Amino acid sequence: SGKRFGVLRLDGGAAASSWLRGALLERLGPSFDGILEKAARGKRNEVAHGTGPADLVEVSEYGMRLVADLFEGQKTGLFLDHRESRRAVRRLSRHKRVLNLYGYTGGFSIAAALGGATLAVTVDVAKPALEMAKRSFEANAATLAEVDRGGAALEHEEIAADVPKFLAEDSREFDVIVSDPPSFAPNRKAKDKAIEAYSKLHAACMQRLAPQGIYVAASCSSHIRPSDFEASLAEGARRAKRHLQILDHHGAPADHPRLLSFPEGDYLKVYVTKPVRRRR
């Protein structure tokens, strides 16, 4: 539509939020046709300035078209902090079978398909999110038709399922697996349980990898430090009887700055790894 919309998340007390909202709208208002305020969990986002979109919106990211719902979607309707991660997965996916776990609206799956994947499977418990993934595949249909897949046709599946159950029941092997679960540690007390949950998830994913496969593991839990997440990767590899090589790791992109005094601001951790089966 050519219109510009933004989504703000305002945390703090009522007075602080009111002041911050006014300052932001004064500064950003002229740049956008509409600005939405991110609501509390489970509630619909509200229009804070101008008008909201009449329908779903399409976001352009490195030539990829992603469909988002700014009113009902989590965060801003897309996880924008993963754009460099999606770009990395796109580079890794040529002629590969790719599994996208906790896939939400399928951003990693679209990136993989545009990168030349022959199979992209998106797994999430939320059926509305998977419908958005289908819409995104439709939005990219013309570009996807031109991608080289080594003579193979693109297959994509959207599966509504609990991820641990899917990994236990689906016996297929994949060349690339992306795991980006919701926060396992909402508070510090949950840290130990979260590390255990990550370890179990890593092990299950590594056991579904084809030889020479790539495992992309992410955590958005601010209470899980990089050293904690690496420990969970090491434990997952031990349980899966794998040696683990870290090929790359990164956090949120440059438009997510943090204060030096606030290490929890480095909430996003993304590791690109290569698990190798141990010799007996």
Side-chain angles (χ1 to χ4, degrees):
S1 66
K3 293 183 177 294
R4 293 168 57 87
F5 299 100
V7 180
L8 303 177
R9 178 173 180 174
L10 304 177
D11 294 320
S17 293
S18 177
W19 177 86
L20 184 58
R21 182 187 300 108
L24 287 172
L25 294 182
E26 181 180 355
R27 185 74 173 267
L28 300 177
S31 303
F32 291 88
D33 294 278
I35 296 178
L36 281 67
E37 183 174 341
K38 180 73 180 74
R41 184 183 298 272
K43 295 185 179 181
R44 182 179 171 87
N45 294 343
E46 300 292 338
V47 176
H49 168 76
T51 60
D55 197 0
L56 304 177
V57 298
E58 283 189 7
V59 176
S60 177
E61 179 183 285
Y62 294 125
M64 177 169 56
R65 300 168 70 183
L66 298 174
V67 177
D69 185 340
L70 300 188
F71 282 108
E72 301 290 351
Q74 296 184 47
K75 303 293 184 179
T76 57
L78 293 171
F79 296 117
L80 302 179
D81 50 3
H82 265 312
R83 66 175 182 274
E84 298 304 327
S85 307
R86 287 188 283 267
R87 194 180 193 186
V89 167
R90 185 170 178 172
R91 291 194 295 265
L92 293 168
S93 298
R94 187 170 185 265
H95 304 172
K96 298 293 194 295
R97 298 161 295 171
V98 179
L99 174 61
N100 178 16
L101 299 173
Y102 304 96
Y104 189 41
T105 55
F108 283 112
S109 303
I110 303 297
L114 288 171
T118 57
L119 172 65
V121 178
T122 308
V123 180
D124 200 285
V125 293
K127 291 183 179 180
L130 295 177
E131 288 300 319
M132 299 282 283
K134 292 178 182 178
R135 293 282 295 267
S136 288
F137 269 101
E138 293 170 0
N140 289 276
T143 306
L144 289 170
E146 298 176 355
V147 174
D148 171 31
R149 303 182 201 282
L154 170 64
E155 297 180 53
H156 64 90
E157 302 174 22
E158 292 77 35
I159 300 176
D162 179 65
V163 166
K165 188 171 187 291
F166 171 84
L167 289 171
E169 296 179 354
D170 193 298
S171 61
R172 287 178 291 179
E173 287 189 334
F174 295 86
D175 303 299
V176 179
I177 296 179
V178 181
S179 174
D180 179 34
S183 177
F184 284 171
N187 53 58
R188 291 182 180 178
K189 292 182 179 179
K191 180 177 176 178
D192 290 342
K193 289 184 178 180
I195 293 174
E196 171 62 17
Y198 281 122
S199 299
K200 290 177 63 176
L201 176 60
H202 299 326
C205 288
M206 292 179 200
Q207 289 167 340
R208 289 291 172 268
L209 274 178
Q212 305 303 312
I214 299 296
Y215 176 44
V216 181
S219 167
C220 62
S221 300
S222 62
H223 297 289
I224 300 295
R225 307 305 304 139
S227 58
D228 300 323
F229 197 57
E230 288 190 15
S232 74
L233 282 166
E235 176 60 18
R238 187 193 68 79
R239 296 181 188 184
K241 297 180 172 59
R242 302 294 195 272
H243 294 294
L244 191 65
Q245 183 180 18
I246 295 176
L247 304 179
D248 189 19
H249 62 93
H250 59 269
D255 58 356
H256 288 64
R258 74 158 176 91
L259 292 172
L260 184 62
S261 59
F262 182 58
E264 293 84 356
D266 282 334
Y267 65 96
L268 183 64
K269 297 156 288 289
V270 183
Y271 283 73
V272 181
T273 73
K274 186 176 183 180
V276 180
R277 289 186 174 94
R278 295 178 181 174
R279 294 181 180 179
R280 293 183 178 178

